[in-house]
PDB file of all heavy atoms in Angstrom:
ATOM      1  N   ILE A   1     -34.521-145.390  21.062  1.00  0.00           N
ATOM      2  CA  ILE A   1     -34.215-146.302  19.935  1.00  0.00           C
ATOM      3  C   ILE A   1     -33.404-145.527  18.910  1.00  0.00           C
ATOM      4  O   ILE A   1     -33.847-144.484  18.425  1.00  0.00           O
ATOM      5  CB  ILE A   1     -35.516-146.841  19.318  1.00  0.00           C
ATOM      6  CG1 ILE A   1     -36.311-147.612  20.368  1.00  0.00           C
ATOM      7  CG2 ILE A   1     -35.187-147.743  18.126  1.00  0.00           C
ATOM      8  CD1 ILE A   1     -37.688-148.057  19.873  1.00  0.00           C
ATOM      9  N   ARG A   2     -32.229-146.051  18.592  1.00  0.00           N
ATOM     10  CA  ARG A   2     -31.352-145.401  17.625  1.00  0.00           C
ATOM     11  C   ARG A   2     -30.554-146.487  16.907  1.00  0.00           C
ATOM     12  O   ARG A   2     -30.383-147.601  17.387  1.00  0.00           O
ATOM     13  CB  ARG A   2     -30.393-144.417  18.321  1.00  0.00           C
ATOM     14  CG  ARG A   2     -29.561-145.039  19.416  1.00  0.00           C
ATOM     15  CD  ARG A   2     -28.458-144.067  19.864  1.00  0.00           C
ATOM     16  NE  ARG A   2     -28.998-142.865  20.436  1.00  0.00           N
ATOM     17  CZ  ARG A   2     -29.137-142.633  21.754  1.00  0.00           C
ATOM     18  NH1 ARG A   2     -28.805-143.605  22.610  1.00  0.00           N
ATOM     19  NH2 ARG A   2     -29.598-141.507  22.196  1.00  0.00           N
ATOM     20  N   PRO A   3     -30.050-146.187  15.705  1.00  0.00           N
ATOM     21  CA  PRO A   3     -29.185-147.168  14.998  1.00  0.00           C
ATOM     22  C   PRO A   3     -27.890-147.382  15.771  1.00  0.00           C
ATOM     23  O   PRO A   3     -27.347-146.468  16.399  1.00  0.00           O
ATOM     24  CB  PRO A   3     -28.916-146.494  13.644  1.00  0.00           C
ATOM     25  CG  PRO A   3     -29.174-145.036  13.857  1.00  0.00           C
ATOM     26  CD  PRO A   3     -30.250-144.955  14.936  1.00  0.00           C
ATOM     27  N   LYS A   4     -27.375-148.610  15.724  1.00  0.00           N
ATOM     28  CA  LYS A   4     -26.186-148.968  16.479  1.00  0.00           C
ATOM     29  C   LYS A   4     -25.000-149.325  15.621  1.00  0.00           C
ATOM     30  O   LYS A   4     -23.915-149.613  16.139  1.00  0.00           O
ATOM     31  CB  LYS A   4     -26.526-150.109  17.441  1.00  0.00           C
ATOM     32  CG  LYS A   4     -27.563-149.744  18.493  1.00  0.00           C
ATOM     33  CD  LYS A   4     -27.835-150.895  19.424  1.00  0.00           C
ATOM     34  CE  LYS A   4     -28.855-150.487  20.487  1.00  0.00           C
ATOM     35  NZ  LYS A   4     -29.142-151.589  21.444  1.00  0.00           N
ATOM     36  N   THR A   5     -25.179-149.348  14.313  1.00  0.00           N
ATOM     37  CA  THR A   5     -24.083-149.603  13.405  1.00  0.00           C
ATOM     38  C   THR A   5     -24.208-148.665  12.208  1.00  0.00           C
ATOM     39  O   THR A   5     -25.264-148.033  12.004  1.00  0.00           O
ATOM     40  CB  THR A   5     -24.066-151.067  12.863  1.00  0.00           C
ATOM     41  OG1 THR A   5     -25.198-151.258  12.002  1.00  0.00           O
ATOM     42  CG2 THR A   5     -24.138-152.090  14.018  1.00  0.00           C
ATOM     43  N   ILE A   6     -23.144-148.554  11.453  1.00  0.00           N
ATOM     44  CA  ILE A   6     -23.149-147.664  10.274  1.00  0.00           C
ATOM     45  C   ILE A   6     -24.181-148.118   9.270  1.00  0.00           C
ATOM     46  O   ILE A   6     -24.926-147.309   8.702  1.00  0.00           O
ATOM     47  CB  ILE A   6     -21.749-147.613   9.637  1.00  0.00           C
ATOM     48  CG1 ILE A   6     -20.747-146.963  10.606  1.00  0.00           C
ATOM     49  CG2 ILE A   6     -21.785-146.820   8.339  1.00  0.00           C
ATOM     50  CD1 ILE A   6     -21.099-145.540  10.982  1.00  0.00           C
ATOM     51  N   ASN A   7     -24.254-149.447   9.005  1.00  0.00           N
ATOM     52  CA  ASN A   7     -25.233-149.940   8.034  1.00  0.00           C
ATOM     53  C   ASN A   7     -26.669-149.693   8.527  1.00  0.00           C
ATOM     54  O   ASN A   7     -27.559-149.432   7.721  1.00  0.00           O
ATOM     55  CB  ASN A   7     -25.014-151.430   7.766  1.00  0.00           C
ATOM     56  CG  ASN A   7     -23.828-151.685   6.868  1.00  0.00           C
ATOM     57  OD1 ASN A   7     -23.411-150.805   6.089  1.00  0.00           O
ATOM     58  ND2 ASN A   7     -23.251-152.863   6.962  1.00  0.00           N
ATOM     59  N   GLN A   8     -26.900-149.803   9.809  1.00  0.00           N
ATOM     60  CA  GLN A   8     -28.212-149.485  10.344  1.00  0.00           C
ATOM     61  C   GLN A   8     -28.550-148.016  10.147  1.00  0.00           C
ATOM     62  O   GLN A   8     -29.673-147.645   9.825  1.00  0.00           O
ATOM     63  CB  GLN A   8     -28.289-149.841  11.817  1.00  0.00           C
ATOM     64  CG  GLN A   8     -28.395-151.324  12.090  1.00  0.00           C
ATOM     65  CD  GLN A   8     -28.649-151.611  13.575  1.00  0.00           C
ATOM     66  OE1 GLN A   8     -28.715-150.705  14.402  1.00  0.00           O
ATOM     67  NE2 GLN A   8     -28.833-152.886  13.904  1.00  0.00           N
ATOM     68  N   LYS A   9     -27.542-147.138  10.323  1.00  0.00           N
ATOM     69  CA  LYS A   9     -27.771-145.714  10.101  1.00  0.00           C
ATOM     70  C   LYS A   9     -28.111-145.442   8.631  1.00  0.00           C
ATOM     71  O   LYS A   9     -29.011-144.648   8.305  1.00  0.00           O
ATOM     72  CB  LYS A   9     -26.509-144.932  10.513  1.00  0.00           C
ATOM     73  CG  LYS A   9     -26.629-143.406  10.324  1.00  0.00           C
ATOM     74  CD  LYS A   9     -27.720-142.838  11.205  1.00  0.00           C
ATOM     75  CE  LYS A   9     -27.688-141.314  11.272  1.00  0.00           C
ATOM     76  NZ  LYS A   9     -27.838-140.668   9.969  1.00  0.00           N
ATOM     77  N   LYS A  10     -27.416-146.111   7.709  1.00  0.00           N
ATOM     78  CA  LYS A  10     -27.689-145.942   6.296  1.00  0.00           C
ATOM     79  C   LYS A  10     -29.109-146.475   5.969  1.00  0.00           C
ATOM     80  O   LYS A  10     -29.833-145.890   5.134  1.00  0.00           O
ATOM     81  CB  LYS A  10     -26.655-146.699   5.458  1.00  0.00           C
ATOM     82  CG  LYS A  10     -25.259-146.115   5.532  1.00  0.00           C
ATOM     83  CD  LYS A  10     -24.276-146.949   4.737  1.00  0.00           C
ATOM     84  CE  LYS A  10     -22.865-146.357   4.811  1.00  0.00           C
ATOM     85  NZ  LYS A  10     -21.904-147.197   4.069  1.00  0.00           N
ATOM     86  N   TYR A  11     -29.485-147.532   6.637  1.00  0.00           N
ATOM     87  CA  TYR A  11     -30.824-148.107   6.441  1.00  0.00           C
ATOM     88  C   TYR A  11     -31.912-147.124   6.877  1.00  0.00           C
ATOM     89  O   TYR A  11     -32.890-146.905   6.179  1.00  0.00           O
ATOM     90  CB  TYR A  11     -30.894-149.427   7.215  1.00  0.00           C
ATOM     91  CG  TYR A  11     -32.231-150.111   7.275  1.00  0.00           C
ATOM     92  CD1 TYR A  11     -32.979-150.348   6.131  1.00  0.00           C
ATOM     93  CD2 TYR A  11     -32.761-150.535   8.499  1.00  0.00           C
ATOM     94  CE1 TYR A  11     -34.208-151.014   6.196  1.00  0.00           C
ATOM     95  CE2 TYR A  11     -33.959-151.202   8.572  1.00  0.00           C
ATOM     96  CZ  TYR A  11     -34.694-151.430   7.420  1.00  0.00           C
ATOM     97  OH  TYR A  11     -35.900-152.080   7.498  1.00  0.00           O
ATOM     98  N   VAL A  12     -31.713-146.526   8.041  1.00  0.00           N
ATOM     99  CA  VAL A  12     -32.674-145.544   8.569  1.00  0.00           C
ATOM    100  C   VAL A  12     -32.728-144.315   7.638  1.00  0.00           C
ATOM    101  O   VAL A  12     -33.821-143.810   7.333  1.00  0.00           O
ATOM    102  CB  VAL A  12     -32.296-145.133   9.992  1.00  0.00           C
ATOM    103  CG1 VAL A  12     -33.126-143.950  10.476  1.00  0.00           C
ATOM    104  CG2 VAL A  12     -32.479-146.320  10.942  1.00  0.00           C
ATOM    105  N   ASP A  13     -31.568-143.851   7.193  1.00  0.00           N
ATOM    106  CA  ASP A  13     -31.552-142.710   6.260  1.00  0.00           C
ATOM    107  C   ASP A  13     -32.271-143.056   4.943  1.00  0.00           C
ATOM    108  O   ASP A  13     -32.944-142.202   4.362  1.00  0.00           O
ATOM    109  CB  ASP A  13     -30.108-142.290   5.986  1.00  0.00           C
ATOM    110  CG  ASP A  13     -29.426-141.671   7.191  1.00  0.00           C
ATOM    111  OD1 ASP A  13     -30.155-141.269   8.115  1.00  0.00           O
ATOM    112  OD2 ASP A  13     -28.199-141.617   7.209  1.00  0.00           O
ATOM    113  N   ALA A  14     -32.126-144.299   4.488  1.00  0.00           N
ATOM    114  CA  ALA A  14     -32.788-144.700   3.246  1.00  0.00           C
ATOM    115  C   ALA A  14     -34.298-144.712   3.422  1.00  0.00           C
ATOM    116  O   ALA A  14     -35.049-144.369   2.475  1.00  0.00           O
ATOM    117  CB  ALA A  14     -32.306-146.114   2.830  1.00  0.00           C
ATOM    118  N   ILE A  15     -34.775-145.056   4.620  1.00  0.00           N
ATOM    119  CA  ILE A  15     -36.230-145.032   4.862  1.00  0.00           C
ATOM    120  C   ILE A  15     -36.743-143.613   4.770  1.00  0.00           C
ATOM    121  O   ILE A  15     -37.849-143.351   4.251  1.00  0.00           O
ATOM    122  CB  ILE A  15     -36.523-145.655   6.245  1.00  0.00           C
ATOM    123  CG1 ILE A  15     -36.223-147.147   6.253  1.00  0.00           C
ATOM    124  CG2 ILE A  15     -37.992-145.413   6.647  1.00  0.00           C
ATOM    125  CD1 ILE A  15     -36.398-147.827   7.576  1.00  0.00           C
ATOM    126  N   ASP A  16     -35.950-142.651   5.258  1.00  0.00           N
ATOM    127  CA  ASP A  16     -36.356-141.239   5.160  1.00  0.00           C
ATOM    128  C   ASP A  16     -36.373-140.742   3.726  1.00  0.00           C
ATOM    129  O   ASP A  16     -37.201-139.904   3.374  1.00  0.00           O
ATOM    130  CB  ASP A  16     -35.427-140.376   5.993  1.00  0.00           C
ATOM    131  CG  ASP A  16     -35.622-140.594   7.498  1.00  0.00           C
ATOM    132  OD1 ASP A  16     -36.744-140.942   7.900  1.00  0.00           O
ATOM    133  OD2 ASP A  16     -34.643-140.434   8.237  1.00  0.00           O
ATOM    134  N   ALA A  17     -35.463-141.261   2.892  1.00  0.00           N
ATOM    135  CA  ALA A  17     -35.255-140.679   1.587  1.00  0.00           C
ATOM    136  C   ALA A  17     -36.022-141.374   0.456  1.00  0.00           C
ATOM    137  O   ALA A  17     -36.101-140.807  -0.657  1.00  0.00           O
ATOM    138  CB  ALA A  17     -33.755-140.691   1.250  1.00  0.00           C
ATOM    139  N   ASN A  18     -36.569-142.562   0.678  1.00  0.00           N
ATOM    140  CA  ASN A  18     -37.197-143.329  -0.382  1.00  0.00           C
ATOM    141  C   ASN A  18     -38.612-143.748  -0.027  1.00  0.00           C
ATOM    142  O   ASN A  18     -38.978-143.741   1.167  1.00  0.00           O
ATOM    143  CB  ASN A  18     -36.349-144.553  -0.719  1.00  0.00           C
ATOM    144  CG  ASN A  18     -34.985-144.223  -1.223  1.00  0.00           C
ATOM    145  OD1 ASN A  18     -34.759-143.955  -2.415  1.00  0.00           O
ATOM    146  ND2 ASN A  18     -34.007-144.200  -0.302  1.00  0.00           N
ATOM    147  N   THR A  19     -39.384-144.138  -1.041  1.00  0.00           N
ATOM    148  CA  THR A  19     -40.752-144.580  -0.817  1.00  0.00           C
ATOM    149  C   THR A  19     -40.829-146.075  -0.542  1.00  0.00           C
ATOM    150  O   THR A  19     -41.589-146.517   0.328  1.00  0.00           O
ATOM    151  CB  THR A  19     -41.601-144.256  -2.046  1.00  0.00           C
ATOM    152  OG1 THR A  19     -41.612-142.835  -2.246  1.00  0.00           O
ATOM    153  CG2 THR A  19     -43.058-144.707  -1.842  1.00  0.00           C
ATOM    154  N   VAL A  20     -40.075-146.863  -1.255  1.00  0.00           N
ATOM    155  CA  VAL A  20     -40.021-148.336  -1.062  1.00  0.00           C
ATOM    156  C   VAL A  20     -38.602-148.715  -0.689  1.00  0.00           C
ATOM    157  O   VAL A  20     -37.656-148.414  -1.429  1.00  0.00           O
ATOM    158  CB  VAL A  20     -40.468-149.072  -2.349  1.00  0.00           C
ATOM    159  CG1 VAL A  20     -40.365-150.591  -2.139  1.00  0.00           C
ATOM    160  CG2 VAL A  20     -41.888-148.687  -2.714  1.00  0.00           C
ATOM    161  N   ILE A  21     -38.452-149.384   0.438  1.00  0.00           N
ATOM    162  CA  ILE A  21     -37.151-149.731   0.974  1.00  0.00           C
ATOM    163  C   ILE A  21     -37.119-151.213   1.296  1.00  0.00           C
ATOM    164  O   ILE A  21     -38.027-151.723   1.933  1.00  0.00           O
ATOM    165  CB  ILE A  21     -36.815-148.923   2.256  1.00  0.00           C
ATOM    166  CG1 ILE A  21     -36.916-147.442   1.980  1.00  0.00           C
ATOM    167  CG2 ILE A  21     -35.416-149.282   2.755  1.00  0.00           C
ATOM    168  CD1 ILE A  21     -38.276-146.831   2.282  1.00  0.00           C
ATOM    169  N   PHE A  22     -36.104-151.897   0.813  1.00  0.00           N
ATOM    170  CA  PHE A  22     -35.885-153.291   1.159  1.00  0.00           C
ATOM    171  C   PHE A  22     -34.729-153.390   2.148  1.00  0.00           C
ATOM    172  O   PHE A  22     -33.623-152.905   1.903  1.00  0.00           O
ATOM    173  CB  PHE A  22     -35.559-154.105  -0.118  1.00  0.00           C
ATOM    174  CG  PHE A  22     -36.697-154.284  -1.058  1.00  0.00           C
ATOM    175  CD1 PHE A  22     -36.978-153.293  -2.003  1.00  0.00           C
ATOM    176  CD2 PHE A  22     -37.506-155.400  -0.996  1.00  0.00           C
ATOM    177  CE1 PHE A  22     -38.032-153.449  -2.874  1.00  0.00           C
ATOM    178  CE2 PHE A  22     -38.568-155.544  -1.869  1.00  0.00           C
ATOM    179  CZ  PHE A  22     -38.844-154.568  -2.805  1.00  0.00           C
ATOM    180  N   GLY A  23     -35.005-154.031   3.302  1.00  0.00           N
ATOM    181  CA  GLY A  23     -33.964-154.266   4.281  1.00  0.00           C
ATOM    182  C   GLY A  23     -33.653-155.759   4.324  1.00  0.00           C
ATOM    183  O   GLY A  23     -34.456-156.566   4.805  1.00  0.00           O
ATOM    184  N   ILE A  24     -32.490-156.133   3.800  1.00  0.00           N
ATOM    185  CA  ILE A  24     -32.133-157.557   3.657  1.00  0.00           C
ATOM    186  C   ILE A  24     -30.922-157.836   4.515  1.00  0.00           C
ATOM    187  O   ILE A  24     -29.881-157.150   4.448  1.00  0.00           O
ATOM    188  CB  ILE A  24     -31.835-157.893   2.189  1.00  0.00           C
ATOM    189  CG1 ILE A  24     -33.013-157.556   1.292  1.00  0.00           C
ATOM    190  CG2 ILE A  24     -31.426-159.342   2.021  1.00  0.00           C
ATOM    191  CD1 ILE A  24     -32.778-157.714  -0.197  1.00  0.00           C
ATOM    192  N   GLY A  25     -31.021-158.844   5.365  1.00  0.00           N
ATOM    193  CA  GLY A  25     -29.912-159.179   6.243  1.00  0.00           C
ATOM    194  C   GLY A  25     -30.252-160.302   7.191  1.00  0.00           C
ATOM    195  O   GLY A  25     -31.412-160.720   7.292  1.00  0.00           O
ATOM    196  N   PRO A  26     -29.262-160.834   7.915  1.00  0.00           N
ATOM    197  CA  PRO A  26     -29.510-161.965   8.812  1.00  0.00           C
ATOM    198  C   PRO A  26     -30.287-161.562  10.047  1.00  0.00           C
ATOM    199  O   PRO A  26     -30.555-160.366  10.288  1.00  0.00           O
ATOM    200  CB  PRO A  26     -28.091-162.425   9.183  1.00  0.00           C
ATOM    201  CG  PRO A  26     -27.247-161.203   8.996  1.00  0.00           C
ATOM    202  CD  PRO A  26     -27.839-160.435   7.858  1.00  0.00           C
ATOM    203  N   ALA A  27     -30.671-162.560  10.830  1.00  0.00           N
ATOM    204  CA  ALA A  27     -31.452-162.310  12.035  1.00  0.00           C
ATOM    205  C   ALA A  27     -30.645-161.473  13.029  1.00  0.00           C
ATOM    206  O   ALA A  27     -29.434-161.607  13.156  1.00  0.00           O
ATOM    207  CB  ALA A  27     -31.826-163.659  12.682  1.00  0.00           C
ATOM    208  N   GLY A  28     -31.352-160.566  13.718  1.00  0.00           N
ATOM    209  CA  GLY A  28     -30.721-159.779  14.757  1.00  0.00           C
ATOM    210  C   GLY A  28     -30.083-158.507  14.295  1.00  0.00           C
ATOM    211  O   GLY A  28     -29.423-157.814  15.097  1.00  0.00           O
ATOM    212  N   THR A  29     -30.239-158.115  13.046  1.00  0.00           N
ATOM    213  CA  THR A  29     -29.640-156.900  12.542  1.00  0.00           C
ATOM    214  C   THR A  29     -30.551-155.679  12.679  1.00  0.00           C
ATOM    215  O   THR A  29     -30.166-154.585  12.243  1.00  0.00           O
ATOM    216  CB  THR A  29     -29.236-157.044  11.054  1.00  0.00           C
ATOM    217  OG1 THR A  29     -30.359-157.542  10.310  1.00  0.00           O
ATOM    218  CG2 THR A  29     -28.090-158.030  10.916  1.00  0.00           C
ATOM    219  N   GLY A  30     -31.723-155.846  13.258  1.00  0.00           N
ATOM    220  CA  GLY A  30     -32.624-154.719  13.519  1.00  0.00           C
ATOM    221  C   GLY A  30     -33.446-154.270  12.331  1.00  0.00           C
ATOM    222  O   GLY A  30     -33.968-153.161  12.348  1.00  0.00           O
ATOM    223  N   LYS A  31     -33.583-155.117  11.324  1.00  0.00           N
ATOM    224  CA  LYS A  31     -34.341-154.713  10.117  1.00  0.00           C
ATOM    225  C   LYS A  31     -35.752-154.314  10.450  1.00  0.00           C
ATOM    226  O   LYS A  31     -36.196-153.205  10.125  1.00  0.00           O
ATOM    227  CB  LYS A  31     -34.376-155.879   9.117  1.00  0.00           C
ATOM    228  CG  LYS A  31     -33.042-156.495   8.769  1.00  0.00           C
ATOM    229  CD  LYS A  31     -33.183-157.625   7.762  1.00  0.00           C
ATOM    230  CE  LYS A  31     -33.991-158.783   8.328  1.00  0.00           C
ATOM    231  NZ  LYS A  31     -33.327-159.483   9.459  1.00  0.00           N
ATOM    232  N   THR A  32     -36.484-155.225  11.113  1.00  0.00           N
ATOM    233  CA  THR A  32     -37.889-154.961  11.423  1.00  0.00           C
ATOM    234  C   THR A  32     -38.053-153.960  12.555  1.00  0.00           C
ATOM    235  O   THR A  32     -38.913-153.096  12.523  1.00  0.00           O
ATOM    236  CB  THR A  32     -38.591-156.283  11.763  1.00  0.00           C
ATOM    237  OG1 THR A  32     -38.380-157.223  10.694  1.00  0.00           O
ATOM    238  CG2 THR A  32     -40.081-156.074  11.986  1.00  0.00           C
ATOM    239  N   TYR A  33     -37.209-154.054  13.540  1.00  0.00           N
ATOM    240  CA  TYR A  33     -37.319-153.204  14.730  1.00  0.00           C
ATOM    241  C   TYR A  33     -37.141-151.728  14.383  1.00  0.00           C
ATOM    242  O   TYR A  33     -37.926-150.875  14.796  1.00  0.00           O
ATOM    243  CB  TYR A  33     -36.287-153.627  15.785  1.00  0.00           C
ATOM    244  CG  TYR A  33     -36.619-153.175  17.183  1.00  0.00           C
ATOM    245  CD1 TYR A  33     -37.549-153.852  17.942  1.00  0.00           C
ATOM    246  CD2 TYR A  33     -35.975-152.071  17.741  1.00  0.00           C
ATOM    247  CE1 TYR A  33     -37.842-153.450  19.240  1.00  0.00           C
ATOM    248  CE2 TYR A  33     -36.262-151.653  19.022  1.00  0.00           C
ATOM    249  CZ  TYR A  33     -37.207-152.352  19.769  1.00  0.00           C
ATOM    250  OH  TYR A  33     -37.491-151.930  21.041  1.00  0.00           O
ATOM    251  N   LEU A  34     -36.128-151.431  13.587  1.00  0.00           N
ATOM    252  CA  LEU A  34     -35.911-150.055  13.172  1.00  0.00           C
ATOM    253  C   LEU A  34     -37.032-149.556  12.263  1.00  0.00           C
ATOM    254  O   LEU A  34     -37.440-148.387  12.338  1.00  0.00           O
ATOM    255  CB  LEU A  34     -34.542-149.939  12.470  1.00  0.00           C
ATOM    256  CG  LEU A  34     -33.309-150.108  13.365  1.00  0.00           C
ATOM    257  CD1 LEU A  34     -32.045-150.131  12.514  1.00  0.00           C
ATOM    258  CD2 LEU A  34     -33.230-149.025  14.417  1.00  0.00           C
ATOM    259  N   ALA A  35     -37.527-150.431  11.386  1.00  0.00           N
ATOM    260  CA  ALA A  35     -38.652-150.040  10.531  1.00  0.00           C
ATOM    261  C   ALA A  35     -39.876-149.737  11.360  1.00  0.00           C
ATOM    262  O   ALA A  35     -40.626-148.774  11.082  1.00  0.00           O
ATOM    263  CB  ALA A  35     -38.939-151.149   9.503  1.00  0.00           C
ATOM    264  N   MET A  36     -40.115-150.530  12.405  1.00  0.00           N
ATOM    265  CA  MET A  36     -41.261-150.266  13.301  1.00  0.00           C
ATOM    266  C   MET A  36     -41.073-148.948  14.013  1.00  0.00           C
ATOM    267  O   MET A  36     -42.050-148.168  14.165  1.00  0.00           O
ATOM    268  CB  MET A  36     -41.369-151.393  14.324  1.00  0.00           C
ATOM    269  CG  MET A  36     -41.722-152.748  13.703  1.00  0.00           C
ATOM    270  SD  MET A  36     -43.478-152.922  13.452  1.00  0.00           S
ATOM    271  CE  MET A  36     -44.025-153.219  15.102  1.00  0.00           C
ATOM    272  N   ALA A  37     -39.862-148.638  14.451  1.00  0.00           N
ATOM    273  CA  ALA A  37     -39.614-147.359  15.104  1.00  0.00           C
ATOM    274  C   ALA A  37     -39.890-146.201  14.169  1.00  0.00           C
ATOM    275  O   ALA A  37     -40.482-145.180  14.551  1.00  0.00           O
ATOM    276  CB  ALA A  37     -38.186-147.325  15.632  1.00  0.00           C
ATOM    277  N   LYS A  38     -39.463-146.331  12.912  1.00  0.00           N
ATOM    278  CA  LYS A  38     -39.710-145.272  11.940  1.00  0.00           C
ATOM    279  C   LYS A  38     -41.222-145.149  11.654  1.00  0.00           C
ATOM    280  O   LYS A  38     -41.739-144.023  11.438  1.00  0.00           O
ATOM    281  CB  LYS A  38     -38.962-145.541  10.650  1.00  0.00           C
ATOM    282  CG  LYS A  38     -37.459-145.439  10.753  1.00  0.00           C
ATOM    283  CD  LYS A  38     -37.000-144.040  11.166  1.00  0.00           C
ATOM    284  CE  LYS A  38     -37.295-143.001  10.132  1.00  0.00           C
ATOM    285  NZ  LYS A  38     -36.807-141.667  10.495  1.00  0.00           N
ATOM    286  N   ALA A  39     -41.941-146.249  11.689  1.00  0.00           N
ATOM    287  CA  ALA A  39     -43.380-146.196  11.461  1.00  0.00           C
ATOM    288  C   ALA A  39     -44.080-145.473  12.593  1.00  0.00           C
ATOM    289  O   ALA A  39     -44.958-144.630  12.352  1.00  0.00           O
ATOM    290  CB  ALA A  39     -43.932-147.621  11.313  1.00  0.00           C
ATOM    291  N   VAL A  40     -43.710-145.791  13.820  1.00  0.00           N
ATOM    292  CA  VAL A  40     -44.313-145.112  14.995  1.00  0.00           C
ATOM    293  C   VAL A  40     -43.976-143.632  14.964  1.00  0.00           C
ATOM    294  O   VAL A  40     -44.797-142.768  15.265  1.00  0.00           O
ATOM    295  CB  VAL A  40     -43.865-145.802  16.293  1.00  0.00           C
ATOM    296  CG1 VAL A  40     -44.349-144.992  17.507  1.00  0.00           C
ATOM    297  CG2 VAL A  40     -44.379-147.219  16.358  1.00  0.00           C
ATOM    298  N   GLN A  41     -42.722-143.317  14.611  1.00  0.00           N
ATOM    299  CA  GLN A  41     -42.325-141.911  14.498  1.00  0.00           C
ATOM    300  C   GLN A  41     -43.152-141.177  13.472  1.00  0.00           C
ATOM    301  O   GLN A  41     -43.607-140.036  13.705  1.00  0.00           O
ATOM    302  CB  GLN A  41     -40.837-141.826  14.149  1.00  0.00           C
ATOM    303  CG  GLN A  41     -40.288-140.413  14.050  1.00  0.00           C
ATOM    304  CD  GLN A  41     -38.907-140.362  13.405  1.00  0.00           C
ATOM    305  OE1 GLN A  41     -38.699-140.961  12.349  1.00  0.00           O
ATOM    306  NE2 GLN A  41     -37.979-139.675  14.061  1.00  0.00           N
ATOM    307  N   ALA A  42     -43.355-141.800  12.293  1.00  0.00           N
ATOM    308  CA  ALA A  42     -44.159-141.174  11.241  1.00  0.00           C
ATOM    309  C   ALA A  42     -45.603-140.975  11.688  1.00  0.00           C
ATOM    310  O   ALA A  42     -46.238-139.976  11.344  1.00  0.00           O
ATOM    311  CB  ALA A  42     -44.104-142.031   9.979  1.00  0.00           C
TER     312      ALA A  42
END
């Protein structure tokens, strides 16, 4: 599991760098899936 767009990469980096992160976007952009991957990794 890895980010597939530049905005997804920025989103993942923001999760690493901040305590509270809001991921806002349309369906299918990987908001929840990437957050779940970061949660399992943590």
Side-chain angles (χ1 to χ4, degrees):
I1 301 174
R2 57 169 63 97
K4 296 182 179 180
T5 69
I6 295 299
N7 284 337
Q8 285 188 358
K9 180 63 168 60
K10 293 178 180 178
Y11 174 50
V12 171
D13 291 342
I15 293 176
D16 290 331
N18 298 274
T19 300
V20 178
I21 304 92
F22 290 85
I24 303 173
T29 51
K31 308 180 297 294
T32 305
Y33 200 79
L34 291 173
M36 294 277 284
K38 292 299 294 182
V40 173
Q41 181 192 49

